[in-house]
Amino acid sequence: MKIALDAMGGDEAPLINISGAIEALETSSDLEVFLVGDAPTVDSLVEKSGYSGERLTVVHADGFVGMEEKPTDALRQKPNCSIAVCWKMMAGGEVEAIVSAGNTGGVIGAGLRTRLFLKGVKRPGIAVVLPTISGRSVLMDVGANPGARPEHLAQYALMGSIFAREILEIESPRVGLMNIGSEDGKGTPLIKEAHDLVLRGPVAQNYIGNVEGRGLYQGEADVIICDGFVGNVVLKVSEGMASMMMEKVAHQVLGALNGEKTTAEQAFGRVGRSFEYNEYGGAPLLGIDGVCMISHGSSDARSIRNALHTAMTFKNRNVNQHIVEALAAQTAASS
């Protein structure tokens, strides 16, 4: 599988991207990575790594979208920046997937410009996997579509369910709609109309209705849908809360231990990592004709490696094909 990796994306770019790519290549013989970024810089680091260069190609790009830049301005001023080149490569069929730990708005903006949507998809959304008390759940959308319409949320219910089934291997994912209360009739006009659409859609039999914010981590649903504004706030609050709680609890517990302190530190480290993107390497942008993995800006080499592997799994399990077929069946049933 050919994947374009935004070498310039992320807080520690390009080194962590190069290291992550090499780790992935060493464990996946059917993977080919295109490192997209400043060629002289990337070439020099690849050479210093000692990697043979097999199945690893450097593609030059002019600049990148910085983490503090306004995506629309950056993309207009730098039309051949690293993430834009990645999307152009996928739109042109040169690669089957892209991975980036760069500016999320830049990744989304460059993608929307290509209009590389799956047939029947009205608006793509980001699906992030989060830990729950009973396992894992999918939250969608977490930032791609802040101004979602009811039909967008209904499609997120379908796409999120397919992702949960094929990637998380949840046989029959329960779907919930994030709301301020669990009772029917709660919420804004957007939520009420989305609720009715999901009830009439293909995931109706697995739809459990409204889910309050606290239900996300209680595992009340396997897939929870919301607009991108709400989802992004939930995600950022969760990250901040997890970091604060781990620091507070670890300080209290470790301060009371003696001989088992090292073991306890390792245990807290494992718990903390469950709130990070590292296991899957990032969050997929569902609904595009291809695969796009959006990694956290603070990703390390392990996370980038896992993002590349998840992109391969996404393709191998035909997630996009399942989405297109389900949307087509829904259209046929309603006509």
Side-chain angles (χ1 to χ4, degrees), residues 40-284:
T41 301
V42 177
D43 276 326
S44 175
L45 290 171
V46 171
E47 184 177 350
K48 288 180 180 178
S49 74
Y51 184 71
S52 65
E54 184 181 359
R55 294 177 286 117
L56 184 65
T57 304
V58 176
V59 177
H60 183 69
D62 299 319
F64 60 95
V65 180
M67 290 299 195
E68 304 303 321
E69 287 189 271
K70 186 177 180 180
T72 52
D73 292 343
L75 291 169
R76 184 172 59 252
Q77 296 164 5
K78 296 176 279 191
N80 292 312
C81 63
S82 58
I83 189 57
V85 171
C86 287
W87 276 103
K88 289 174 184 176
M89 290 179 71
M90 189 157 70
E94 298 174 66
V95 299
E96 299 163 279
I98 63 176
V99 172
S100 177
N103 183 306
T104 300
V107 178
I108 301 298
L112 294 181
R113 289 186 175 196
T114 68
R115 302 299 297 178
L116 198 64
F117 294 1
L118 288 173
K119 185 177 181 180
V121 170
K122 297 181 181 297
R123 191 66 185 264
I126 305 172
V128 68
V129 178
L130 295 173
T132 72
I133 197 168
S134 57
R136 297 166 295 179
S137 67
V138 176
L139 178 66
M140 182 180 182
D141 167 43
V142 295
N145 188 11
R149 298 197 296 268
E151 57 267 32
H152 298 159
L153 296 184
Q155 287 197 344
Y156 292 163
L158 173 61
M159 292 192 287
S161 294
I162 291 172
F163 175 74
R165 187 187 72 209
E166 299 300 326
I167 302 300
L168 303 190
E169 299 181 336
I170 301 172
E171 184 175 350
S172 187
R174 298 161 300 153
V175 178
L177 175 63
M178 184 164 286
N179 205 340
I180 57 173
S182 59
E183 306 89 349
D184 287 346
K186 285 273 190 175
T188 63
L190 165 69
I191 297 301
K192 293 176 183 178
E193 189 172 344
H195 174 77
D196 291 339
L197 287 176
V198 177
L199 276 175
R200 301 196 303 268
V203 300
Q205 62 181 4
N206 293 326
Y207 181 51
I208 65 170
N210 297 320
V211 174
E212 295 184 53
R214 61 189 173 191
L216 171 61
Y217 291 107
Q218 291 299 314
E220 291 183 11
D222 303 303
V223 177
I224 296 182
I225 55 174
C226 58
D227 66 76
F229 184 90
V230 170
N232 194 264
V233 171
V234 169
L235 180 62
K236 297 298 173 59
V237 168
S238 298
E239 290 176 343
M241 177 66 77
S243 177
M244 183 273 292
M245 288 298 293
M246 288 302 300
E247 185 174 337
K248 292 278 189 182
V249 173
H251 176 74
Q252 293 294 324
V253 173
L254 294 176
L257 295 176
N258 292 313
E260 299 298 323
K261 181 173 290 189
T262 299
T263 302
E265 287 177 339
Q266 293 171 348
F268 278 113
R270 288 192 295 272
V271 173
R273 283 193 293 275
S274 71
F275 286 89
E276 299 174 353
Y277 295 172
N278 286 357
E279 183 177 357
Y280 297 97

Side-chain angles (χ1 to χ4, degrees), residues 303-321:
S303 183
I304 297 300
R305 178 199 69 197
N306 289 350
L308 291 164
H309 285 162
T310 300
M312 296 176 71
T313 302
F314 193 102
K315 176 181 178 293
N316 292 337
R317 296 187 181 176
N318 300 310
V319 174
N320 283 344
Q321 181 181 335

